[in-house]
Amino acid sequence: MKGQESERILRLRGELYTRTDYIKPVFGEKIISYMGGRARHWDPKRSKLAAAILKGMDIMPIRQDSSVLYLGASTGTTVSYISDICIDGRIYAVEVSFESFYKLLSLAEKRKNIIPILEDANVPERYSFFVEKPDLIYQDIAQRNQVQIFNTNAATFPEVRKAILIIKTRSISSHQNERDILATALSGINGFTPVRSYNLSPYDQANYLVYLERV
Ligand SMILES: C[S@@+](CC[C@H](N)C(=O)[O-])C[C@H]1O[C@@H](n2cnc3c(N)ncnc32)[C@H](O)[C@@H]1O
C-alpha cells in the first residue's frame, strides 16, 4: 500500500491486523502485543475492507486523520477497524436498523472517534447539518438502489473527494453476469470515476469493493 496511509494496518504472518489503542476486543477477536503497543486481528470473512486488502488493494485512502462518512454501518464491525486506522479523525456511522444501531451505539460509547447516526442514507439532508467536512464516503448498503444512495450522498457532500463503495451484484440482479452488473452499476455513478475494483471472493461472495475518486 502507498505511503503513510498504511501505518495502522499490519500484516503479520500472512494475517491482517490493525494497531489499536483499545484493550478489549469488540466481538471476541484476538488482540496481541506488538512493538510496545497492541494489534487487533482483522478477519477478511467479517469485513470486506480486510478482504480487499488481502486481495491486493494497493491504495488505502483512509488516513490517520480522515473524516469518514460511513453508510450502512450495521453493528460496527468494519467501523471498529476504520476507527483503529483514523485515530486522529472521525467516522460518522449511519445505520437505519435500530437493532444494529443499538450495538453500534455501545461501540461508539467506548471509542471517541465514532459518531453513530440512526438514519436512512436515502435522505442525507437529515444528517448533513452535523456531519463536518467528510473527506471520504464508505458505503456498504446491500440494496437495489445502492448507486442512487451513493449519488445522493456524493452530491450532498461536495467536499468528499474519495470513496469506497461495496457493490453487491446480487442485490441489483440475479440474472446477469456479475461483471456486467458491476459495469452497469458503475456507469450510473455521477461525478466519481472508479480507480480500482476488487472481487472479494473467496472471502465474500457476490460483493465487489470499488475505490473511486471525484473527477
Ligand atoms: C452488509 S451490511 C453492512 C456491514 C458493515 N458495513 C460491516 O462491514 O461491518 C448493510 C447494512 O446497511 C444497512 N442499511 C440498509 N439500507 C440502509 C439505508 N437506507 N440507510 C442506512 N443503512 C442502511 C442495513 O441495515 C445493514 O446493517
Side-chain angles (χ1 to χ4, degrees), residues 194-215:
V195 177
R196 299 270 198 284
S197 71
Y198 303 93
N199 176 328
L200 303 181
S201 171
Y203 305 114
D204 197 290
Q205 302 302 332
N207 273 304
Y208 284 77
L209 181 146
V210 184
Y211 168 59
L212 308 110
E213 290 178 357
R214 200 180 279 276
V215 282

Side-chain angles (χ1 to χ4, degrees), residues 46-48 70-79 94-97 100 119-122 138 140-143 149:
R46 296 192 75 148
S47 170
K48 295 165 200 119
Y70 193 121
L71 308 173
S74 190
T75 54
T77 303
T78 301
V79 166
V94 180
E95 174 53 50
V96 76
S97 144
S100 300
E119 265 305 347
D120 180 351
N122 281 291
Y138 186 108
D140 182 9
I141 292 184
Q143 297 288 340
I149 293 176

